[in-house]
């Protein structure tokens, strides 16, 4: 430990940022630009957090977060800064879904939209009174509605079995969990972020990909971080010494760094992987005990042949609830198609098993032969323990404001405590900007 001229401990950096996903990279960049010394500690061997572009099946596949949109303001600002472009996921030629009694249905996109249109609107019809301003997701009638799950709302709508099956399947895909586990607030806040238009919310959440991939984008942000980014460096503990005005961050290999502030970017489900002294506030313990609602999975599926572009919905009882076309190609085995699938419960599907994925795909279409699969189980990843954040009933209005509060010299930047697009890359960027601004103002020379 080094000492300053008075014999007091000296900081190794002004700020240590834990995590090099979007929140951590943006926070570190902004803090560095404000003239502060920053060190980023990232346990993975790469930057990007829950975004990860990897070369699989002959294509650059997004194993984590994928879709972006111009109605996500923080995302679009960062894409403009780094000259990122977008490409549309393929328009579909066919739609497959399950009707009443899980009876298989097949038709056009227009025919499917006709089945779900009324129910989708009824689900969120009161959104403008529930959350009048998307940037204030806990203000409005949502306080009276937050105890409800999405399933509660569907149960109350009285949809006919045909429409109900199709409508429920759409939202299982959005929230990556069973509907009785997810607060109605998750649906309301995302639709509020698109001005109350559910059609635009659907487009914003699952249509446009980043040209060059997420990993290239986060690499460019990392290049703009003035401080040091240490990969493969897991944090074991964070201990505050308020008298000295310093925080000690100890890594898994026993090294210790001292900083004037620390920014944690860990998701709610994973934050207990670090020991905090003093202990985290009760809101973090309560939220971590409950966990956020998303418990699902994402898997890429290579099937034989050039399959006409399609999307398919099963139910929340199936291992995969959504399947859609993304790429075509050819190799020594012949022509193939690559699909992306999502399921609401990661324990229902071994995403490493071709046989298990083949069985899950069979719920949509029995004519597809699975050749290969690729996935990362984010639920089993100790640094994430979820895919994208969705709230359980009651969590949004009870916890969101408290999750943004400082804990002594520790700050929290994560999409889990963002206002506008919580659960999305946009929310991660928002939180990184927010905490960087706070710290820069606190540590500015007087």
């Amino acid at each position: 430990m080094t000492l300053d001229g008075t014999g007091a401990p000296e900081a190794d950096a002004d700020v240590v940022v834990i995590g090099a996903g979007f929140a951590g990279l943006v926070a570190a960049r902004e803090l560095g630009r404000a003239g502060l010394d920053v060190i980023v500690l990232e346990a993975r061997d790469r930057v990007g957090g829950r975004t990860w572009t990897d070369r699989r099946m002959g294509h650059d596949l997004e194993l984590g977060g994928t879709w972006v949109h111009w109605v996500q303001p923080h995302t679009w600002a960062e894409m403009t800064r780094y000259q990122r472009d977008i490409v549309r996921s393929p328009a579909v030629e066919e739609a497959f879904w399950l009707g009443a009694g899980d009876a298989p249905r097949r038709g056009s996109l227009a025919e499917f939209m006709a089945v779900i249109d009324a129910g989708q609107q009824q689900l969120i019809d009161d959104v403008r009174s529930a959350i009048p301003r998307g940037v204030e997701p806990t203000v409005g009638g949502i306080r009276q509605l937050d105890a409800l799950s999405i399933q509660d709302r569907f149960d109350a709508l009285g949809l006919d079995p045909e429409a109900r099956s199709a409508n429920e399947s759409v939202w299982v895909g959005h929230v990556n969990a069973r509907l009785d586990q997810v607060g109605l607030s998750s649906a309301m806040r995302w639709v509020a972020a698109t001005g109350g238009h559910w059609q635009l919310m659907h487009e914003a959440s699952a249509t446009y990909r980043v040209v060059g991939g997420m990993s290239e984008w986060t690499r460019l942000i990392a290049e703009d971080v003035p401080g040091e980014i240490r990969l493969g460096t897991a944090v074991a503990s964070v201990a505050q010494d308020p008298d000295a005005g310093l925080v000690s961050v100890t890594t898994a290999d026993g090294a210790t760094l001292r900083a004037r502030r620390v920014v944690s970017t860990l998701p709610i489900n994973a934050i207990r992987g670090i020991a905090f002294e003093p202990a985290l506030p009760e809101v973090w313990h309560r939220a971590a005990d409950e966990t956020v609602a998303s418990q699902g999975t994402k898997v890429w599926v290579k099937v034989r042949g050039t399959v006409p572009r399609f999307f398919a919905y099963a139910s929340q009882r199936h291992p995969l609830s959504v399947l859609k076309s993304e790429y075509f190609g050819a190799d020594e085995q012949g022509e193939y198609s690559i699909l992306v699938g999502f399921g609401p419960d990661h324990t229902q599907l071994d995403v490493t098993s071709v046989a298990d994925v083949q069985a899950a795909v069979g719920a949509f279409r029995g004519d597809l032969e699975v050749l290969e699969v690729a996935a990362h189980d984010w639920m089993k990843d100790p640094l994430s323990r979820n895919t994208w954040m969705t709230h359980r009933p009651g969590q949004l209005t009870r916890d969101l404001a408290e999750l943004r509060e400082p804990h002594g010299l520790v700050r929290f930047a994560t999409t889990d405590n963002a206002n506008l697009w919580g659960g999305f890359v946009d929310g991660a960027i928002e939180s990184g900007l927010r905490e960087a601004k706070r710290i820069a103002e606190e540590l500015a020379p007087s």
Side-chain angles (χ1 to χ4, degrees):
M1 177 176 67
T2 59
L3 304 177
D4 66 14
T6 67
E10 191 173 79
D12 298 293
D14 291 312
V15 185
V16 167
V17 176
I18 303 172
F22 274 94
L25 292 174
V26 168
R29 183 193 67 199
E30 297 302 299
L31 289 163
R33 290 169 64 89
L36 300 174
D37 294 324
V38 182
I39 297 174
V40 180
L41 304 179
E42 170 54 57
R44 297 181 172 96
D45 61 0
R46 59 175 181 81
V47 301
R50 281 175 285 173
T51 62
W52 180 18
T53 314
D54 202 24
R55 191 72 178 175
R56 309 276 184 101
M57 305 177 185
H59 295 264
D60 292 331
L61 302 182
E62 300 290 359
L63 299 182
T66 303
W67 291 287
V68 298
H69 201 275
W70 52 89
V71 296
Q72 297 164 343
H74 305 92
T75 295
W76 201 252
E78 292 295 323
M79 291 185 68
T80 302
R81 180 194 292 258
Y82 292 101
Q83 294 296 288
R84 301 292 87 193
D85 203 354
I86 56 174
V87 60
R88 195 190 193 286
S89 289
V92 301
E93 301 167 41
E94 294 182 294
F96 297 80
W97 68 96
L98 299 181
D102 286 350
R105 304 287 185 246
R106 179 175 182 173
S108 66
L109 174 60
E111 288 170 325
F112 179 76
M113 294 302 289
V115 173
I116 69 168
D117 185 77
Q120 291 294 300
Q121 184 59 43
Q122 289 175 57
L123 181 78
I124 52 83
D125 208 31
D126 51 348
V127 64
R128 289 180 175 84
S129 61
I131 304 178
R133 295 175 14 150
V135 293
E136 297 177 334
T138 63
V139 175
I142 192 63
R143 291 193 169 275
Q144 287 71 52
L145 297 173
D146 199 14
L148 298 177
S149 69
I150 295 177
Q151 190 66 62
D152 290 332
R153 175 57 66 90
F154 272 124
D155 289 348
L157 292 181
L159 299 175
D160 68 71
E162 195 76 17
R164 176 170 174 147
S165 177
N167 273 283
E168 287 183 352
S169 68
V170 170
W171 274 100
V172 174
H174 282 311
V175 299
N176 209 219
R178 292 190 175 93
L179 300 183
D180 63 352
Q181 299 298 305
V182 185
L184 179 61
S185 60
S186 285
M188 290 289 189
R189 71 181 303 196
W190 294 344
V191 176
T194 53
H197 301 285
W198 63 266
Q199 299 93 334
L200 181 54
M201 190 284 297
H202 286 204
E203 179 181 278
S205 61
T207 306
Y208 293 97
R209 292 181 277 108
V210 178
V211 173
M214 288 291 200
S215 289
E216 173 63 12
W217 185 12
T218 51
R219 184 191 68 79
L220 293 172
I221 300 175
E223 285 185 349
D224 269 356
V225 173
E228 182 182 359
I229 300 175
R230 300 182 185 177
L231 300 179
T233 307
V235 172
S237 65
V238 174
Q240 301 188 50
D241 182 350
D243 293 334
L246 294 176
V247 188
S248 294
V249 180
T250 302
T251 60
D253 62 4
T256 297
L257 294 171
R258 292 168 181 82
R260 299 164 70 192
R261 295 291 187 276
V262 165
V263 179
S264 168
T265 69
L266 272 71
I268 287 170
N269 285 9
I271 199 164
R272 282 189 171 162
I274 296 176
F276 286 84
E277 177 60 40
L280 290 171
E282 174 59 27
V283 64
W284 282 94
H285 286 282
R286 181 176 63 219
D289 283 342
E290 295 173 352
T291 72
V292 300
S294 56
Q295 304 287 308
T297 191
K298 175 182 182 179
V299 60
W300 289 93
V301 185
K302 180 180 179 181
V303 300
R304 189 179 303 280
T306 301
V307 180
R309 298 194 186 279
F310 74 96
F311 73 76
Y313 285 110
S315 78
Q316 57 191 314
R317 300 178 302 279
H318 289 84
L320 288 176
S321 54
V322 181
L323 195 65
K324 59 184 292 190
S325 304
E326 284 292 329
Y327 301 106
F328 292 141
D331 58 18
E332 65 279 0
Q333 293 178 288
E335 294 183 344
Y336 62 81
S337 303
I338 294 181
L339 320 173
V340 62
F342 298 89
D345 181 352
H346 78 113
T347 66
Q348 283 190 294
L349 182 65
D350 180 356
V351 293
T352 69
S353 167
V354 170
D356 284 6
V357 174
Q358 176 73 72
V361 167
F364 301 95
R365 296 184 56 171
D367 60 331
L368 300 180
E369 180 188 355
V370 176
L371 301 173
E372 189 177 348
V373 295
H376 179 75
D377 192 333
W378 298 99
M379 286 295 301
K380 292 181 180 178
D381 185 332
L383 302 177
S384 58
R385 298 194 186 279
N386 77 317
T387 48
W388 59 94
M389 188 278 300
T390 53
H391 292 288
R392 296 186 185 275
Q395 288 180 335
L396 175 68
T397 56
R398 185 194 68 191
D399 294 343
L400 184 60
E402 278 191 82
L403 290 170
R404 286 198 295 268
E405 289 299 310
H407 176 46
L409 305 176
V410 176
R411 304 292 184 267
F412 304 98
T414 164
T415 189
D416 293 6
N417 68 11
N419 266 332
L420 186 55
W421 281 98
F424 287 77
V425 166
D426 193 85
I429 297 169
E430 174 195 320
S431 69
L433 292 170
R434 181 191 68 229
E435 296 308 321
K437 178 66 172 175
R438 286 180 174 179
I439 292 171
E441 289 176 348
E442 291 171 2
L443 300 185
S446 56

